[in-house]
Structure formats: C-alpha cells, structure tokens
C-alpha cells in the first residue's frame, strides 16, 4: 500500500515538473521574439522624397530660415562707408557660413556647394576689376534661391504649386509654376543613397 502511494506521489511530481518546463519554454519563446538581440540594428525610417517634393520642401525650409540665412554678411564694406577707397569685396568667411547653413539643411549636394563657391569667386574677380562702392553690389542684388527681386511665394503656395519634370538619369529639372510669381527652375542630382538633392 505504501508503495502505491509512493508511486502516485512520484507520478504527480514528474507530471508537474514537465508542465512547468513546457510553460517556461513557451514563455521563453515569446520573450525571444519580442526582445531584439543585442547586436541587431534598428534602422530609422528615412523619408524618400520625390524630386518635386524635395524642391518644395527646400523652398519652405528657406522661407522658414530666411532671416537667419540672409543676415549673414556676404559683402565687405556694405553699406558703403564714407571712405571712398573702400570698395565692395566678397566676405568669403560669410559665404562659407551661408553655405554651411544650406549643407546642414540636408537638401543640397556637393554640386550645389561647388556651384556657389565658384559663383562667389567670379563675383570677387569682378569687384577687383571694376571697383564698386555704391548701389547694390553686382551679383548680390537679388535673392539667390528664388532668383528674384520681387515678392516670393509662401509655404502654402509652394506646396500647392504645379510642376513639370524633365529627367535624365541621375539628374532632373523641376519647374514649379506659380500664376502670381512666374516659374522657378531647380536642378537636382541623385545622391549615392538615392536621395534627390539640389545642384544649384
């Protein structure tokens, strides 16, 4: 009789241990699925803008940062001083600061930076050749981004603008059409990771 009870006791203990083991295995399975491995990499979702949306978002970024961008002193001796021997000259420290803001925006390519560096060098050559000390400095008398001296569109108008696109491989031209302001043309190039970036 005592042996029967002892056998039943062992049987109950054995069954209980097996059930706990199975339950632990199931729980471990859930944990391993829900907890990422230590060496796994979580890649953030990066928005892949179309070329036209890149231009629109870039122009909106420019509008939002207009004061910060345009308060940079890009011309020396501007406004003119009473000393008539001081002529306009490109402030290259200022132009580099200007370019850095655009680079940090994430919308422009190295082609954009090179384009404007060359532009500022050509302006300086012109200042050295034909000394200017009065009136708007030649080459700096208009808004570089909108290429205009007139009123420019606000963000809402930019986002709603119709556009045309002409692509050639990793290069494309976007023309935004504004009934009130005319059209704006921007050239873009594709980066190594497939993003459209402003070329000029």
């Amino acid at each position: 009789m005592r042996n029967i009870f002892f056998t039943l006791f062992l049987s109950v203990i054995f069954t209980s241990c097996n059930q706990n083991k199975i339950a632990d295995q199931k729980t471990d399975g859930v944990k391993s699925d829900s907890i990422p491995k230590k060496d796994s990499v979580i890649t953030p979702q990066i928005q892949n803008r179309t070329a036209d949306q890149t231009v629109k978002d870039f122009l909106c970024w420019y509008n939002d940062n207009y004061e910060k961008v345009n308060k940079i002193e890009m011309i020396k001796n501007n406004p003119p001083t009473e000393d008539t021997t001081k002529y306009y000259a490109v402030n290259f420290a200022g132009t580099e600061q200007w370019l850095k803001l655009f680079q940090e925006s994430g919308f422009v390519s190295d082609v954009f930076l090179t384009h404007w560096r060359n532009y500022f060098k050509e302006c300086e050559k012109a200042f050295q050749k034909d000394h200017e000390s009065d009136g708007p400095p030649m080459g700096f008398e208009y808004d570089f981004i909108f290429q205009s001296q007139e009123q420019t569109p606000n963000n809402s108008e930019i986002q709603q603008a119709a556009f045309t696109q002409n692509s050639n491989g990793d290069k494309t031209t976007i023309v935004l059409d504004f009934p009130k302001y005319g059209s704006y043309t921007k050239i873009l190039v594709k980066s190594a990771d497939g993003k459209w970036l402003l070329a000029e």
Side-chain angles (χ1 to χ4, degrees), residues 9-67:
F9 177 73
L10 289 177
S11 177
V12 169
I13 291 176
F14 180 76
T15 303
S16 176
C17 289
N18 279 343
Q19 287 175 346
N20 288 338
K21 187 176 181 180
I22 292 169
D24 287 342
Q25 288 174 345
K26 288 180 179 178
T27 304
D28 288 343
V30 172
K31 286 181 180 178
S32 63
D33 290 340
S34 60
I35 299 174
K37 296 178 181 179
K38 289 183 179 179
D39 58 350
S40 65
V41 177
I42 299 174
T43 306
Q45 294 295 321
I46 299 174
Q47 181 182 5
N48 291 322
R49 294 181 179 89
T50 57
D52 63 290
Q53 193 60 51
T54 298
V55 173
K56 291 179 179 181
D57 289 349
F58 168 71
L59 293 178
C60 289
W61 171 89
Y62 179 67
N63 275 346
D64 292 341
N65 292 275
Y66 182 84
E67 290 186 11

Side-chain angles (χ1 to χ4, degrees), residues 18 25 56 70 82 86 94 97 101-102 105 115 117 144 159 166:
N18 279 343
Q25 288 174 345
K56 291 179 179 181
N70 287 282
E82 294 180 2
K86 291 185 176 180
Q97 185 182 355
L101 290 178
F102 285 97
S105 76
H115 166 81
R117 283 193 179 104
F144 291 142
Q159 293 294 351
N166 184 12

Side-chain angles (χ1 to χ4, degrees), residues 52 55-56 59 158 161-163 174-178 182-185:
D52 63 290
V55 173
K56 291 179 179 181
L59 293 178
I158 290 169
F163 73 94
I174 298 291
V175 180
L176 298 183
D177 295 308
F178 299 94
S183 61
Y184 294 101
T185 302

Side-chain angles (χ1 to χ4, degrees), residues 90 92 119-130:
V90 175
F92 286 106
Y119 179 85
F120 297 139
K121 288 176 183 177
E122 291 302 314
C123 288
E124 178 61 17
K125 287 181 183 178
F127 288 147
Q128 293 294 330
K129 182 180 178 182
D130 301 315

Side-chain angles (χ1 to χ4, degrees), residues 92-121:
F92 286 106
T95 58
E96 283 302 310
Q97 185 182 355
W98 187 84
L99 289 171
K100 184 180 179 183
L101 290 178
F102 285 97
Q103 185 177 28
E104 290 174 348
S105 76
F107 285 104
V108 306
S109 65
D110 289 341
V111 178
F112 178 99
L113 302 177
T114 300
H115 166 81
W116 285 107
R117 283 193 179 104
N118 290 337
Y119 179 85
F120 297 139
K121 288 176 183 177

